[in-house]
């Protein structure tokens, strides 16, 4: 029996189970006890909505965490399964009257689970490759982008489909391959450089966070983001030495790697004289804005992490709140309005509080009619790599999402996160709305319709 006193002023409790000891050490006991079991989180939770099961709700998961820490239960496989079933969308947080930091609790729990996980050799190799050798390294990302581009353009993609080779992969992975956008080894820095000046009256200086996968699979969106910011009056820095935000690491239990990436980014951006650090991906932005929490125990980085987090803002929020008005093309005579709808990025809405600005911008575009989708604020099932590791639940959530999307009769499904964008593309492909529908990043939609002042 080992005696562990853990952090956050929790009582000393003896546990014979190794995972329970680690949970006691890592979990914020104050947050566990803050949960009043009121149930306000239940209607907001996608997995509870799908299953109707208490353990698949935030309240249920917190109860399981506390029971394990208090020694009332042993964290078994069912415990792990329910924690891994959580999307991490954090829709429960705005609904919580006690302001329980559920997102922090679930990440602390997943970190503990990851420390004691017994991965198969292939999974261990894959995790090590992605989390330590690909996402953190720009050179590896460029190589990945170039390799994917070669696969897509050389005819290998058509050959793989024609030969039936894709049938060797799980169905959900084959489906994801079919909707992948064109990849590239040339990101935003290779296309625009590390500085892009403001057009017209300057209103501020921003630094763009380009992301990792974002700059490989959606480099055009990064370019469009910079051009929108410039048109709105911002000088834009794009530091080339920046690295992955660490969100995928944090969500997968690799918290120490996430902290290392956060420190690297803070070092890079702290050298710049900037007003804002701009994100165009809700998933990235939600971790960037919480770097202060991620590094709160680090005496060396605590203040700089706070400096960083205070400057993080989503591109749509910055454009609406501080930017010069963007000029959009006028509606042509006799031209019919285009219907657009919007799928919220969970992390943009629930963590960055950025639900309002995207809708303001969409409504300013001429020749468009904005249609609010039912449950636009409910997760689409992407959630980082959730749709890869939990394909059944992600598929159920997506099917319900597409019912609401189809009811809007919209021609454009817009969103503000690359994972959501891919998930909505998959939804359109699988569920075939009655009308022609195109999934698109909000930034690309705005840039396509903007009048340049150059």
């Amino acid at each position: 029996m080992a005696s562990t006193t853990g952090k956050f002023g929790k009582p000393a409790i003896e546990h014979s189970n190794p995972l329970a000891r680690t949970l006691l050490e890592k979990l914020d006991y104050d947050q566990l006890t803050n949960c009043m079991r009121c149930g306000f989180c239940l209607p907001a939770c996608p997995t509870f909505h799908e299953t109707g099961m208490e353990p698949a709700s935030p309240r249920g998961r917190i109860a399981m965490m506390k029971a394990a820490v208090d020694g009332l239960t042993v964290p078994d496989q069912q415990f792990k399964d329910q924690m891994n079933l959580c999307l991490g969308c954090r829709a429960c947080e705005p609904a919580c009257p006690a302001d329980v930091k559920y997102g922090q609790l679930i990440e602390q729990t997943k970190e503990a689970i990851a420390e004691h996980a017994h991965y198969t050799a292939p999974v261990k190799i894959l995790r090590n490759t992605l989390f330590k050798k690909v996402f953190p390294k720009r050179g590896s990302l460029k190589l990945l982008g170039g390799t994917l581009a070669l696969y897509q353009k050389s005819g290998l993609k058509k050959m793989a489909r024609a030969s039936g080779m894709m049938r060797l992969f799980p169905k959900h992975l084959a489906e994801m391959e079919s909707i992948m956008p064109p990849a590239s080894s040339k990101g935003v820095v290779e296309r625009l450089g590390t500085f892009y000046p403001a057009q017209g009256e300057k209103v501020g200086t921003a630094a763009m966070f380009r992301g990792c996968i974002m700059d490989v699979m959606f480099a055009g969106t990064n370019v469009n983001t910079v051009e929108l910011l410039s048109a709105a009056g911002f000088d834009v820095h794009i530091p080339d030495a920046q690295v992955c935000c660490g969100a995928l690491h944090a969500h997968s239990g690799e918290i120490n790697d996430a902290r290392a990436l956060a420190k690297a980014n803070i070092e890079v951006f702290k050298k710049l004289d900037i007003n804002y650090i701009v994100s165009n991906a809700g998933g990235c932005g939600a971790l960037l804005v919480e770097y202060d929490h991620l590094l709160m125990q680090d005496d060396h980085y605590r203040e700089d992490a706070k400096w960083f987090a205070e400057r993080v803002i989503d591109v749509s929020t910055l454009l609406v709140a501080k930017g010069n008005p963007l000029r959009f093309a006028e509606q042509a005579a006799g031209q019919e309005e285009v219907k657009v709808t919007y799928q919220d990025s969970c992390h943009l809405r629930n963590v960055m509080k950025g639900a309002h600005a995207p809708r303001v911008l969409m409504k300013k575009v001429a020749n468009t009619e904005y249609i609010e989708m039912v449950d636009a604020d409910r997760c689409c099932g992407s959630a980082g790599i959730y749709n890869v590791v939990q394909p059944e639940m992600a598929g159920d959530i997506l099917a319900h999402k597409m019912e609401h999307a189809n009811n809007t009769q919209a021609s454009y499904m817009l969103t503000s996160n690359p994972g959501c964008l891919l998930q909505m593309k998959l939804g359109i492909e699988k569920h075939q709305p009655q009308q022609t529908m195109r999934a698109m990043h909000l930034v690309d939609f705005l840039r396509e319709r903007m009048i340049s002042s150059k």
Side-chain angles (χ1 to χ4, degrees), residues 19 50 86 213 215 256 277 291 295 301-302 326 346 366 396 407 425 436:
L19 176 54
E50 292 296 327
C86 175
I213 295 300
D215 211 41
N256 287 332
I277 299 171
Y291 270 8
L295 297 173
Y301 280 93
R302 185 183 299 113
L326 297 173
C346 294
D396 291 344
N407 289 337
K425 284 179 178 287
T436 301

Coordinates of all heavy atoms in Angstrom, one line a residue, residues 19 50 86 213 215 256 277 291 295 301-302 326 346 366 396 407 425 436:
L19 N -3.4 3.2 -10.9 CA -4.1 4.2 -11.6 C -4.8 5.1 -10.6 O -4.8 6.4 -10.7 CB -5.1 3.7 -12.6 CG -6.0 4.7 -13.3 CD1 -5.2 5.7 -14.0 CD2 -6.9 4.0 -14.3
E50 N -26.8 10.9 -26.7 CA -26.8 9.7 -27.6 C -27.1 8.4 -26.8 O -27.8 7.5 -27.3 CB -25.5 9.5 -28.3 CG -25.1 10.6 -29.3 CD -26.1 10.6 -30.5 OE1 -26.6 9.5 -30.9 OE2 -26.4 11.6 -31.0
C86 N -15.6 10.4 -23.8 CA -15.9 11.9 -23.7 C -15.2 12.6 -24.9 O -14.1 12.4 -25.2 CB -15.3 12.5 -22.4 SG -15.4 14.2 -22.3
I213 N -1.1 20.6 -38.6 CA -1.9 20.0 -39.7 C -2.6 21.1 -40.5 O -2.8 21.0 -41.7 CB -3.0 19.0 -39.1 CG1 -2.3 17.9 -38.5 CG2 -3.9 18.6 -40.2 CD1 -1.4 17.1 -39.4
D215 N -1.5 23.9 -41.4 CA -0.6 24.5 -42.4 C -0.2 23.5 -43.5 O 0.5 23.9 -44.4 CB 0.7 25.1 -41.7 CG 1.2 26.3 -42.5 OD1 0.4 27.1 -42.9 OD2 2.5 26.4 -42.6
N256 N 2.9 16.4 -20.7 CA 4.3 17.0 -20.6 C 4.8 17.4 -22.0 O 5.5 18.4 -22.1 CB 5.2 15.9 -20.0 CG 5.0 15.7 -18.5 OD1 4.6 16.6 -17.8 ND2 5.3 14.5 -18.0
I277 N -2.4 37.5 -30.6 CA -2.0 36.2 -31.2 C -3.2 35.6 -31.8 O -4.2 35.2 -31.0 CB -1.3 35.3 -30.2 CG1 -0.1 36.0 -29.6 CG2 -1.0 33.9 -30.8 CD1 0.5 35.2 -28.4
Y291 N -2.8 28.4 -22.0 CA -1.4 28.2 -21.7 C -1.0 28.6 -20.2 O -0.2 28.0 -19.6 CB -0.5 29.0 -22.6 CG -0.1 28.2 -23.9 CD1 -0.7 27.0 -24.2 CD2 0.9 28.8 -24.8 CE1 -0.3 26.3 -25.4 CE2 1.2 28.1 -25.9 CZ 0.7 26.9 -26.3 OH 1.0 26.2 -27.4
L295 N 0.7 25.9 -17.6 CA 2.0 26.1 -17.1 C 2.0 26.8 -15.7 O 2.9 27.5 -15.3 CB 2.9 27.0 -18.0 CG 3.2 26.3 -19.4 CD1 3.9 27.2 -20.3 CD2 4.0 25.0 -19.2
Y301 N 7.9 30.0 -16.3 CA 7.1 30.3 -17.5 C 5.7 30.9 -17.1 O 5.0 31.3 -17.9 CB 6.9 29.1 -18.4 CG 8.0 28.8 -19.3 CD1 9.0 28.0 -18.9 CD2 8.1 29.5 -20.5 CE1 10.1 27.7 -19.8 CE2 9.2 29.2 -21.4 CZ 10.2 28.4 -21.0 OH 11.3 28.1 -21.8
R302 N 5.4 30.9 -15.8 CA 4.0 31.3 -15.4 C 3.6 32.7 -15.9 O 2.5 32.8 -16.5 CB 3.9 31.3 -13.8 CG 2.5 31.5 -13.3 CD 2.4 31.5 -11.8 NE 2.8 30.3 -11.2 CZ 3.9 30.2 -10.5 NH1 4.7 31.2 -10.3 NH2 4.2 29.0 -10.0
L326 N -14.6 45.2 -43.3 CA -14.2 44.5 -44.6 C -15.3 44.9 -45.6 O -16.4 45.1 -45.4 CB -14.2 43.0 -44.4 CG -13.2 42.5 -43.4 CD1 -13.4 41.0 -43.2 CD2 -11.7 42.7 -43.9
C346 N -16.7 23.6 -31.2 CA -17.0 23.5 -29.7 C -16.1 24.4 -28.9 O -16.5 25.1 -28.0 CB -16.9 22.1 -29.3 SG -18.2 21.0 -30.0
A366 N -22.9 40.3 -48.7 CA -24.0 40.5 -49.6 C -24.4 39.2 -50.3 O -23.6 38.3 -50.4 CB -23.7 41.6 -50.6
D396 N -22.7 8.4 -35.1 CA -24.1 8.6 -34.6 C -24.3 10.1 -34.4 O -25.4 10.6 -34.8 CB -24.3 7.9 -33.3 CG -24.4 6.4 -33.4 OD1 -24.5 5.9 -34.6 OD2 -24.3 5.7 -32.4
N407 N -32.1 20.2 -43.0 CA -33.3 21.0 -42.8 C -33.1 22.5 -43.1 O -34.1 23.2 -43.3 CB -33.9 20.8 -41.4 CG -34.5 19.5 -41.1 OD1 -34.9 18.8 -42.1 ND2 -34.5 19.0 -39.9
K425 N -17.6 17.8 -44.2 CA -17.4 17.2 -45.5 C -17.8 15.8 -45.6 O -18.5 15.3 -46.5 CB -15.9 17.4 -46.0 CG -15.5 18.8 -46.4 CD -14.1 18.8 -46.7 CE -13.6 20.2 -47.2 NZ -14.1 20.6 -48.5
T436 N -27.6 20.7 -53.0 CA -26.2 20.7 -53.1 C -25.6 21.5 -52.0 O -26.0 22.7 -51.8 CB -25.7 21.3 -54.5 OG1 -26.2 20.5 -55.5 CG2 -24.2 21.3 -54.5

